[in-house]
Amino acid sequence: VAGIVLTTLLVPQGMAYAELAGLPAITGLYTTVLCLVGYAIFGPSRILVLGPDSSLGPLIAATILPIALSNGDPNQAIALASMLAVIVGLIMIFAGVAKLGFIADLLSKPTRIGYMNGLALTILIGQLPKLFGFSTDADGLVNEAKAFVQGVMSGDTIVLALAIGLISIGIIIVLNRWMPKVPGILVAVLIAIGLSSFFGLGDKGVSLVGSLPQGFPPFTIPHVSLADISLLFAGALGIALVALTDTISTASAFAHKSGEQVKGNGEMIGIGAANVAAGFFQGFPVSTSGSRTAVTEQAGAKTQLTGIVGAIFIILMLVFVPSLLSNLPQPTLAAVVIVASISLADIPAMRRLWHQRKSEFMLAFVAFLGVALVGILEGIAIAVLLSVLNIFRRAWWPYMARLGKVTGLAGHHDTKQYPKAKQVPGLIIFRFDAPLFFANCGTFRDRIRKYVINNPDVKWIIIAAEPITDIDTTAADMLLELDAE
């Protein structure tokens, strides 16, 4: 039963996310089948569901479409996407074998929040033309927004396409919010197909999915030049990082609920196997889906047999009834993607960061701007760089405190938090909240000198050294020199 429920989600989402990646809708179904089987065999989690993902679609498109279009053969996009999946899979398997699961920590939570918000806005703007029944050739958030407004102002909107798209969005949102156990996407797809068939929307200018190719693709080695492989590798690194971060966070959430432990390195091998399997059957890179995992868990899923059942039903559809979704309007697929993009955004988290720590809000905001204005792949690089720089910043300029005695509290405490704390005349107790090494020993020395200059009555300085978990040779020499001084 859970497998059948999963299938109702996987089919429309797989097709929608394939088109989001700039690929034919059928490749989303090929990808779904093979990644489910690959993860069921090699993945450690009993509950996680893998598949085409809205957060990876723009990354895939940004990686493969410039190469495919420059070669003048749009069909090559499938081969490029398949090779991209294989490369991503090999990267993940290597990282898992080498026990590099900590790489997921390169995307800190603030930068990830900003990145996802930027991604959500980019996806939303990119899908608006399809929702309104026309298409544009623009690239990038600003250009796509301009092209969309120009298209609407020029009268390119197809009213029936917009109507069926808005109806689909409304159905999905309403059912997801007030009747979460009802598969809103499936209901929207069925109603859209019914309206399309009854009113003949295909003859009135509304773009339809059309019949899918019958059968299942054979084992295929993607034919890509060595030059193209080198171009794909950078995108593969970014996709692998996002997929790994998604999977570890999703696995942690569900493992906490069931009392299990997350096997980070095993997850990387499982995701890698799923990507390699998809890549050899005309598929594209995949990741874990938190929403699909939650739905299947609610439907009673206990093991990866759920995914196998879902894969079998998709194969049966492709072999026996490939025309089942032929009257599905394209604006409905756009609606599926738009609702998914809204779920990626997290505005309350941005507000929380603003109230908790302004510096982390700025990290999130810069990551958002990087994705929205510079580009998807560049946005990932900016997010990772910001996370790493933030680590260095906090180690380079750590928090420093002068301590005093607080009435009613044991020990000594920060005088900034307790302004009435009592200090012994002629004595400064100084706490430095970081390991002491070459990059921050100058900061330490300058603060001590400042205390001495500003407090001529000081006779003693005590270092509360509990937070100083390490001292390198540069810092050790600085301490000797400072002591003599």
mmCIF file of all heavy atoms in Angstrom, residues 7 17 21 63 107 116-117 207 270 275 287 310 329 350 352 362 430 441 468:
data_model
loop_
_atom_site.group_PDB
_atom_site.id
_atom_site.type_symbol
_atom_site.label_atom_id
_atom_site.label_comp_id
_atom_site.label_asym_id
_atom_site.label_seq_id
_atom_site.Cartn_x
_atom_site.Cartn_y
_atom_site.Cartn_z
ATOM 1 N N THR A 7 4.048 5.749 -5.480
ATOM 2 C CA THR A 7 3.989 5.862 -6.944
ATOM 3 C C THR A 7 3.175 7.075 -7.370
ATOM 4 O O THR A 7 3.528 7.784 -8.325
ATOM 5 C CB THR A 7 3.367 4.590 -7.551
ATOM 6 O OG1 THR A 7 4.113 3.455 -7.113
ATOM 7 C CG2 THR A 7 3.392 4.646 -9.069
ATOM 8 N N TYR A 17 10.124 17.400 -12.292
ATOM 9 C CA TYR A 17 11.503 17.747 -11.960
ATOM 10 C C TYR A 17 12.451 17.453 -13.113
ATOM 11 O O TYR A 17 13.513 18.076 -13.216
ATOM 12 C CB TYR A 17 11.941 17.010 -10.692
ATOM 13 C CG TYR A 17 11.138 17.382 -9.465
ATOM 14 C CD1 TYR A 17 11.065 16.531 -8.369
ATOM 15 C CD2 TYR A 17 10.415 18.578 -9.411
ATOM 16 C CE1 TYR A 17 10.323 16.862 -7.237
ATOM 17 C CE2 TYR A 17 9.661 18.910 -8.298
ATOM 18 C CZ TYR A 17 9.615 18.063 -7.219
ATOM 19 O OH TYR A 17 8.876 18.392 -6.119
ATOM 20 N N ALA A 21 14.902 20.262 -14.864
ATOM 21 C CA ALA A 21 16.310 20.071 -15.183
ATOM 22 C C ALA A 21 16.601 20.252 -16.668
ATOM 23 O O ALA A 21 17.750 20.062 -17.098
ATOM 24 C CB ALA A 21 16.756 18.678 -14.748
ATOM 25 N N THR A 63 24.294 22.932 -15.311
ATOM 26 C CA THR A 63 25.498 22.203 -15.678
ATOM 27 C C THR A 63 25.454 21.697 -17.109
ATOM 28 O O THR A 63 26.429 21.826 -17.865
ATOM 29 C CB THR A 63 25.709 21.003 -14.731
ATOM 30 O OG1 THR A 63 25.759 21.474 -13.383
ATOM 31 C CG2 THR A 63 27.005 20.273 -15.048
ATOM 32 N N LEU A 107 28.338 23.114 4.414
ATOM 33 C CA LEU A 107 27.214 24.035 4.256
ATOM 34 C C LEU A 107 26.595 24.259 5.642
ATOM 35 O O LEU A 107 25.840 23.435 6.133
ATOM 36 C CB LEU A 107 26.161 23.451 3.304
ATOM 37 C CG LEU A 107 26.360 23.699 1.813
ATOM 38 C CD1 LEU A 107 25.271 23.003 1.013
ATOM 39 C CD2 LEU A 107 26.397 25.171 1.477
ATOM 40 N N MET A 116 18.812 27.944 0.004
ATOM 41 C CA MET A 116 17.524 27.361 -0.339
ATOM 42 C C MET A 116 16.489 28.437 -0.674
ATOM 43 O O MET A 116 15.662 28.261 -1.566
ATOM 44 C CB MET A 116 17.023 26.484 0.811
ATOM 45 C CG MET A 116 17.716 25.141 0.904
ATOM 46 S SD MET A 116 17.449 24.163 -0.605
ATOM 47 C CE MET A 116 18.394 22.695 -0.222
ATOM 48 N N ASN A 117 16.516 29.558 0.035
ATOM 49 C CA ASN A 117 15.595 30.647 -0.286
ATOM 50 C C ASN A 117 15.882 31.216 -1.672
ATOM 51 O O ASN A 117 14.959 31.523 -2.434
ATOM 52 C CB ASN A 117 15.683 31.742 0.766
ATOM 53 C CG ASN A 117 14.942 31.387 2.042
ATOM 54 O OD1 ASN A 117 13.921 30.710 1.995
ATOM 55 N ND2 ASN A 117 15.441 31.823 3.178
ATOM 56 N N SER A 207 -0.462 23.432 -23.700
ATOM 57 C CA SER A 207 0.542 22.398 -23.960
ATOM 58 C C SER A 207 0.308 21.190 -23.057
ATOM 59 O O SER A 207 0.099 21.337 -21.851
ATOM 60 C CB SER A 207 1.942 22.967 -23.725
ATOM 61 O OG SER A 207 2.921 21.981 -23.934
ATOM 62 N N GLY A 270 25.084 4.532 -0.546
ATOM 63 C CA GLY A 270 23.751 4.244 -1.058
ATOM 64 C C GLY A 270 23.293 5.248 -2.102
ATOM 65 O O GLY A 270 22.769 4.874 -3.159
ATOM 66 N N ASN A 275 22.628 6.892 -7.898
ATOM 67 C CA ASN A 275 22.956 7.784 -9.014
ATOM 68 C C ASN A 275 23.606 7.040 -10.166
ATOM 69 O O ASN A 275 23.284 7.290 -11.343
ATOM 70 C CB ASN A 275 23.868 8.908 -8.525
ATOM 71 C CG ASN A 275 23.107 10.069 -7.911
ATOM 72 O OD1 ASN A 275 22.556 10.902 -8.615
ATOM 73 N ND2 ASN A 275 23.064 10.118 -6.591
ATOM 74 N N SER A 287 18.441 12.794 -5.260
ATOM 75 C CA SER A 287 18.723 13.048 -3.848
ATOM 76 C C SER A 287 17.569 12.498 -3.019
ATOM 77 O O SER A 287 16.592 11.976 -3.552
ATOM 78 C CB SER A 287 18.900 14.547 -3.593
ATOM 79 O OG SER A 287 19.153 14.803 -2.228
ATOM 80 N N GLY A 310 7.086 0.705 -5.613
ATOM 81 C CA GLY A 310 6.891 1.900 -6.423
ATOM 82 C C GLY A 310 7.555 1.780 -7.780
ATOM 83 O O GLY A 310 6.972 2.155 -8.813
ATOM 84 N N PRO A 329 -1.822 18.502 -18.562
ATOM 85 C CA PRO A 329 -1.350 19.829 -19.000
ATOM 86 C C PRO A 329 0.020 20.169 -18.406
ATOM 87 O O PRO A 329 0.293 19.872 -17.235
ATOM 88 C CB PRO A 329 -2.418 20.788 -18.478
ATOM 89 C CG PRO A 329 -3.613 19.926 -18.188
ATOM 90 C CD PRO A 329 -3.059 18.594 -17.775
ATOM 91 N N MET A 350 14.832 32.898 8.379
ATOM 92 C CA MET A 350 15.591 34.134 8.170
ATOM 93 C C MET A 350 15.280 35.142 9.277
ATOM 94 O O MET A 350 16.186 35.802 9.794
ATOM 95 C CB MET A 350 15.252 34.726 6.800
ATOM 96 C CG MET A 350 15.719 33.905 5.610
ATOM 97 S SD MET A 350 17.516 33.920 5.388
ATOM 98 C CE MET A 350 17.765 35.553 4.681
ATOM 99 N N ARG A 352 14.293 34.417 12.280
ATOM 100 C CA ARG A 352 14.891 33.907 13.505
ATOM 101 C C ARG A 352 16.382 34.223 13.563
ATOM 102 O O ARG A 352 16.907 34.612 14.612
ATOM 103 C CB ARG A 352 14.658 32.400 13.603
ATOM 104 C CG ARG A 352 15.071 31.796 14.949
ATOM 105 C CD ARG A 352 14.612 30.367 15.083
ATOM 106 N NE ARG A 352 15.212 29.492 14.097
ATOM 107 C CZ ARG A 352 14.573 28.947 13.071
ATOM 108 N NH1 ARG A 352 13.288 29.208 12.896
ATOM 109 N NH2 ARG A 352 15.189 28.156 12.212
ATOM 110 N N MET A 362 23.351 37.820 7.980
ATOM 111 C CA MET A 362 24.053 38.367 6.822
ATOM 112 C C MET A 362 24.663 37.256 5.967
ATOM 113 O O MET A 362 24.670 37.331 4.738
ATOM 114 C CB MET A 362 25.132 39.354 7.273
ATOM 115 C CG MET A 362 24.581 40.633 7.882
ATOM 116 S SD MET A 362 23.373 41.468 6.804
ATOM 117 C CE MET A 362 24.373 41.771 5.341
ATOM 118 N N PHE A 430 40.939 36.957 32.589
ATOM 119 C CA PHE A 430 40.655 37.096 31.155
ATOM 120 C C PHE A 430 40.367 35.717 30.561
ATOM 121 O O PHE A 430 41.127 34.767 30.758
ATOM 122 C CB PHE A 430 41.861 37.739 30.464
ATOM 123 C CG PHE A 430 41.757 37.781 28.957
ATOM 124 C CD1 PHE A 430 40.697 38.414 28.329
ATOM 125 C CD2 PHE A 430 42.730 37.193 28.161
ATOM 126 C CE1 PHE A 430 40.615 38.472 26.942
ATOM 127 C CE2 PHE A 430 42.662 37.243 26.777
ATOM 128 C CZ PHE A 430 41.596 37.881 26.172
ATOM 129 N N CYS A 441 46.749 34.716 17.758
ATOM 130 C CA CYS A 441 47.585 35.048 18.912
ATOM 131 C C CYS A 441 47.856 36.558 18.982
ATOM 132 O O CYS A 441 48.042 37.120 20.066
ATOM 133 C CB CYS A 441 48.885 34.245 18.902
ATOM 134 S SG CYS A 441 49.980 34.587 17.529
ATOM 135 N N ILE A 468 40.741 27.298 25.840
ATOM 136 C CA ILE A 468 41.924 27.224 24.971
ATOM 137 C C ILE A 468 42.340 25.755 24.883
ATOM 138 O O ILE A 468 43.147 25.266 25.673
ATOM 139 C CB ILE A 468 43.066 28.101 25.507
ATOM 140 C CG1 ILE A 468 42.584 29.554 25.663
ATOM 141 C CG2 ILE A 468 44.268 28.054 24.578
ATOM 142 C CD1 ILE A 468 43.630 30.491 26.238
#
